[in-house]
Every structure is written in structure tokens, then in C-alpha cells.
Amino acid sequence: MRVLYFVLLLLFFQSIPAQEKSGEFVDLTYSFSEESVYWVTAKEFKLEEVAKGKTDQGFYYSANNFSTAEHGGTHIDAPIHFADGAQTVDQIPLENLIGDAVKIDVSDKALKDPDYLISPKVIMDWEQEHGPIPDGGIVLLQTGFGQYYPDASKYLGTDKRGPEAVKQLHFPGLSVEAAEWLVTNRKIKAVGIDTASIDFGQSQNFATHVALMTQNIPAFENVANLDQLPETGFTVIALPIKIKGGSGGPLRIIAIK
Amino acid sequence: MRVLYFVLLLLFFQSIPAQEKSGEFVDLTYSFSEESVYWVTAKEFKLEEVAKGKTDQGFYYSANNFSTAEHGGTHIDAPIHFADGAQTVDQIPLENLIGDAVKIDVSDKALKDPDYLISPKVIMDWEQEHGPIPDGGIVLLQTGFGQYYPDASKYLGTDKRGPEAVKQLHFPGLSVEAAEWLVTNRKIKAVGIDTASIDFGQSQNFATHVALMTQNIPAFENVANLDQLPETGFTVIALPIKIKGGSGGPLRIIAIK
């Protein structure tokens, strides 16, 4: 059905002059470095230089190794991250990682309240203004916290690390009620957010993750540059590292607007 | 409104007649695991389980750490890998990683000669049959060696590892003359191959890498499933992990045909 839809669209757009087909890429990905923001208990990104410079054979050569938690920087939570038996990162169909997207901007409220939760009403109000979230849509949530990245004290609410820092996490998120509303009433492929977690910082039970991921809906976290996107009318392409059995991993996510 | 913006995705298809495309995704990426093929001297992929199962708080949780060389499995060589001052992996423009692509299939010859080199004549002969490589094209080279992955003894020519194994590497590649012909006569964005290196296994000086990368042309290596692609009429989207200053890294590469 999706393929048929696509073919019909292709045929339809044959008649559109080439000059109207102008799209701009927006990279929604932070680069990985020792500055990348990680969960306070997660292993941070580390790059280890293997070679850099001219070799004895005469050619230049640069190479590195790296290590990281799956969940840090701009990354994907595969459904299995919080749902037993759900899709691992290598099992997520490509069709679910690419498609029409919308942005719901709650930064006005979230920047005033680091424990802000996006309610179902916020989404319904957004739809009143912009129309319904399309079937197969990817929903990006802009809290405004992206402007703080990578300053952990502002972005996460703490620059402390370790298990003791968990209770000091303060950043906005998607309420479980809104996640359940989306799962029940809309057919979305994925959700993304410009914070470290789709659940808010003070979550104890990660119920938003559970609500989405039991339905095989992955989450994109620490998504960059959402302020450069319109509310509707753009496409997202989100391609994660393909780790066999992985619960997630570094994600390269871009938009075409 | 959302339909209108499908135009942006269709930017990818602008030079291709609609009737040749089905909108089908092909994943050109091998999954990362302990079986992934790495250069004989490179640090292999390792996944370390952090959590898997029901937590004390009652929810299911799975998470891992991993470590790897930048160059192994399906990955990108950023231009700086073999060219001082050239683009690092985070600096490659998205426009250079997405676009119209062609496949040059030399498997008939390469499967009979593991030291086979793709010559300029092979490319020119291909163009005689299929038309010129388009400006901004991504060139994928099918040697047929993908069928051996991840059996290192067949895929690399050796299942030994370490510096001593380098001289035992036997797999086909792109000749330096063909790389220079492409750089001089065509405007290509990137080159991909279904072997471990764009240079053939017996290369001593990696001159093909140098010829491409001094022109800021990246290479995709260990590309999967090239046998599922036509010779022309498809789009490639190749999104690498965005490592700050990286010389390359794991790549998620897909085609839309």
C-alpha cells in the first residue's frame, strides 16, 4: 500500500518543473566528541587515535578507534530498549525511519519549567492549528533545551555524573498520557526530542518509553537544530548504526525541508 | 500540504523516469557484530551488555556499550583517511552523501581473479551501454565478493589477523588509473564497493584512496546487497556516524530503487 502510494506520488510529480523541487538539508545530528551529552550513568564517547600523519610508505593516513554507550549524543532508542521482545535497532524497518514529519514546539512553556510535560491537550491544540499528524508521520518535539547542548548543567539539570546524579535530572519530556494518546489515536512511525530522553528528567518508571516501545515506536533523543525546521512540511531520514541485537545507538538524522 | 512536501524527497528521483522506480528500500548495510569483517590490523567490533531484563522498578531495560575501529564492517572512509587536510567524517556535506547512483558490475571478471583491478576501459565500456555517469553521481562497484561476507578467508583472502596477514590480502578493487579517470572526467560524489577497501587487497600505497580523497571524494566499503540493485535508476542515502574529526566510521547506507 505504501509502495503504491509512493508510485502514485512519483507519477503525480512528474509534471512539476524541476526548479520547484528544491530542498534544503538540515543536519539534526550533534557530532560525537568528549563533549557529547550522555546519560549520567552511561559510558561516554571516547575517540582513540590510531594513526595521524605521513606513513613510512609516503602516504598520509589517519584512523581512530572509538567506544561509547549506545545511548548518548544524538541517538536512537530501539523499541527493545524498554520493551521485551520488541525490535532491536537492526530490526527496525527502514520505512519506519524515513517519512513525513511534523514539529511540535513547546519551548515557550518548557523553557520556563524544566519539569514540563507535553500533555495530550498540547498535541490536540497543535493539530487544531496545523492539521492532524499524518499517518506514518514522524513527530519531533522541540522543548528549546537544544540551545543548552552540550552544557550538561543546563541541558540535563546537572553536570554531576553517576547514580547519585539521576535524581537531579531536570528537563522536559513527553507525558505518558500524550504517548498513549499518540499510540491510540495516530499512526506514527517514531518520536524525536531535543532533550536527553523522551521521558522527562524526573521520570522514575520511563512510562513514556514503555508506552511507545511496546508498540515498536522508536525514539530519537538529543536531536539537534529543531529550531531550523518548520512545523509541518518536511521529511526526516533517520539512519542508525546497525548493531545486531542492539538496543539503540548513534543516529544520523537529517531533514529535508 | 504534507503531500506537497513529498516533492523534497522526490528531489532524489528527478532525473529518473517514474516507471523505473518502485520506491523500494534496499539496505546496503551489514549489521555490526563479532562476525563483522575488519581490516586485519584493526580493532574489531565488540558489544558489551550493560543491562538486559526486568529492573527492580518493574520495567524491562536493555542497553549496551560498544567499541570499534572507525574502519570495519559497512563503513565510510572520510577524505582525511588518506588526504591531509581533507574533510573529516563530520565535515562531509550531506549533499555529497545522497544522490543518484549507478552500479558497475564486474563480478564476472573479479570472481575469477581476486587481484582484479577495475580499469578505465571497464568504466568507459559501462558508459557505452548505460550512458554517462551523471554529474553528482555515486558510483557503486560490484565485484561479487559480497557473497563471501563475512567469511574472511574468501572475502579478504585470509582469515589470519595482524600485520603479517596484510600481504595475504587478495580481493579486487578500483585501479588508480580508473580513480583518476573518474576524478578528471566525471563529477562524482562518492564511490562504494562490496569489498573491504576501494584499493585492491595487494595494494601497497593505497593510491586509489589517495586519488579520490585528495579530491574530497569519500569511499563506502563493505557495502552489502549490491546484487539487489539495478545498473542505473536508483538513489543512495549514505549517513555515517558523525564523529568530530573522525577519519570515517560505521555507515548506514541504503538505496531507493
Side-chain angles (χ1 to χ4, degrees):
Chain A
M1 188 60 190
R2 182 177 289 125
V3 168
L4 179 62
Y5 182 53
F6 209 90
V7 170
L8 290 172
L9 282 167
L10 280 167
L11 293 169
F12 176 71
F13 287 120
Q14 283 307 296
S15 60
I16 294 176
Q19 61 267 25
E20 289 185 19
K21 298 179 182 178
S22 58
E24 181 190 338
F25 292 112
V26 182
D27 197 342
L28 306 180
T29 317
Y30 296 116
S31 60
F32 280 90
S33 73
E34 290 181 6
E35 290 190 342
S36 297
V37 173
Y38 277 68
W39 199 252
V40 292
T41 54
K43 179 182 169 65
E44 295 178 290
F45 183 85
K46 189 177 177 190
L47 194 71
E48 177 201 346
E49 186 179 296
V50 175
K52 186 177 185 178
K54 202 165 184 178
T55 61
D56 295 340
Q57 298 100 309
F59 57 84
Y60 176 89
Y61 184 68
S62 168
N64 309 286
N65 297 331
F66 68 95
S67 59
T68 177
E70 288 172 331
H71 302 271
T74 302
H75 71 282
I76 190 170
D77 286 2
I80 201 171
H81 190 37
F82 277 94
D84 193 10
Q87 289 161 358
T88 55
V89 70
D90 54 318
Q91 292 173 335
I92 303 171
L94 291 173
E95 289 78 2
N96 292 6
L97 297 167
I98 299 171
D100 254 353
V102 301
K103 180 184 81 169
I104 300 176
D105 180 3
V106 298
S107 55
D108 275 358
K109 292 175 181 171
L111 286 172
K112 293 175 190 157
D113 176 9
D115 298 325
Y116 179 77
L117 278 167
I118 299 169
S119 66
K121 183 173 185 304
V122 165
I123 297 174
M124 287 186 273
D125 287 350
W126 183 93
E127 288 196 337
Q128 282 295 319
E129 189 175 350
H130 299 284
I133 294 165
D135 281 358
I138 293 170
V139 178
L140 301 183
L141 305 170
Q142 181 180 351
T143 69
F145 270 52
Q147 70 187 263
Y148 301 140
Y149 195 96
D151 180 344
S153 62
K154 290 182 179 173
Y155 186 75
L156 297 176
T158 179
D159 59 2
K160 302 282 191 306
R161 289 187 51 78
E164 290 305 303
V166 171
K167 64 175 76 73
Q168 297 175 41
L169 292 168
H170 290 278
F171 54 81
L174 181 68
S175 70
V176 61
E177 294 82 9
E180 286 171 349
W181 187 90
L182 285 167
V183 163
T184 306
N185 299 288
R186 297 292 176 268
K187 292 176 181 169
I188 61 169
K189 289 178 174 177
V191 179
I193 195 164
D194 61 346
T195 70
S197 173
I198 195 76
D199 273 285
F200 77 144
Q202 286 289 294
S203 175
Q204 303 286 317
N205 59 4
F206 300 95
T208 296
H209 278 86
V210 174
L212 296 172
M213 294 182 183
T214 51
Q215 303 301 316
N216 273 325
I217 297 171
F220 312 141
E221 296 171 336
N222 299 320
V223 177
N225 299 324
L226 291 185
D227 59 316
Q228 297 180 27
L229 295 177
E231 304 272 345
T232 61
F234 60 97
T235 299
V236 161
I237 303 174
L239 296 184
I241 183 173
K242 192 175 179 182
I243 299 174
K244 187 176 181 180
S247 76
L251 176 73
R252 191 67 180 270
I253 178 171
I254 68 170
I256 310 169
K257 67 176 183 180
Chain B
M1 187 69 175
R2 71 189 176 92
V3 169
L4 223 156
Y5 282 92
F6 260 98
V7 172
L8 301 172
L9 186 62
L10 293 170
L11 174 68
F12 304 145
F13 302 99
Q14 60 189 4
S15 66
I16 298 158
Q19 61 271 22
E20 290 183 15
K21 295 179 99 39
S22 65
E24 180 189 341
F25 292 112
V26 182
D27 197 343
L28 305 180
T29 318
Y30 296 116
S31 60
F32 280 91
S33 73
E34 291 183 5
E35 289 191 341
S36 297
V37 173
Y38 278 67
W39 199 252
V40 293
T41 54
K43 179 181 169 67
E44 295 178 288
F45 183 85
K46 189 178 176 187
L47 193 71
E48 177 200 347
E49 186 180 295
V50 175
K52 187 177 184 178
K54 203 165 183 178
T55 61
D56 295 341
Q57 299 100 308
F59 56 84
Y60 177 89
Y61 184 68
S62 168
N64 309 286
N65 298 330
F66 69 94
S67 59
T68 176
E70 290 173 329
H71 303 270
T74 302
H75 71 282
I76 190 169
D77 285 3
I80 201 172
H81 189 39
F82 277 94
D84 194 10
Q87 291 161 357
T88 55
V89 70
D90 54 318
Q91 292 173 334
I92 303 171
L94 291 172
E95 290 77 3
N96 291 7
L97 298 167
I98 298 171
D100 278 345
V102 301
K103 180 184 81 170
I104 301 177
D105 180 4
V106 298
S107 54
D108 274 359
K109 291 174 181 172
L111 286 172
K112 293 175 190 155
D113 175 10
D115 299 325
Y116 179 76
L117 279 167
I118 299 168
S119 67
K121 184 174 185 302
V122 165
I123 297 173
M124 287 186 271
D125 287 350
W126 183 94
E127 288 196 335
Q128 281 295 317
E129 187 175 350
H130 299 283
I133 294 165
D135 280 0
I138 293 171
V139 179
L140 302 183
L141 305 169
Q142 180 179 353
T143 69
F145 270 52
Q147 69 187 262
Y148 301 141
Y149 194 95
D151 180 345
S153 63
K154 290 182 179 173
Y155 187 75
L156 297 176
T158 179
D159 59 3
K160 302 282 192 304
R161 290 188 51 79
E164 290 305 303
V166 171
K167 64 175 76 75
Q168 297 175 41
L169 292 168
H170 290 278
F171 54 81
L174 182 69
S175 70
V176 61
E177 295 81 8
E180 286 172 349
W181 187 89
L182 285 168
V183 162
T184 306
N185 298 288
R186 295 292 177 267
K187 293 176 181 169
I188 61 169
K189 289 179 173 175
V191 179
I193 196 165
D194 62 346
T195 69
S197 173
I198 196 77
D199 273 285
F200 78 145
Q202 286 290 293
S203 176
Q204 303 285 317
N205 58 5
F206 301 94
T208 296
H209 277 87
V210 174
L212 296 172
M213 293 181 185
T214 50
Q215 304 300 315
N216 273 325
I217 297 170
F220 313 140
E221 296 171 335
N222 298 321
V223 178
N225 299 323
L226 291 185
D227 58 317
Q228 296 181 25
L229 295 177
E231 305 272 344
T232 62
F234 62 97
T235 299
V236 161
I237 303 173
L239 296 184
I241 184 172
K242 192 175 178 180
I243 298 173
K244 187 176 182 180
S247 77
L251 176 72
R252 192 67 179 269
I253 178 171
I254 69 171
I256 309 173
K257 68 177 182 180

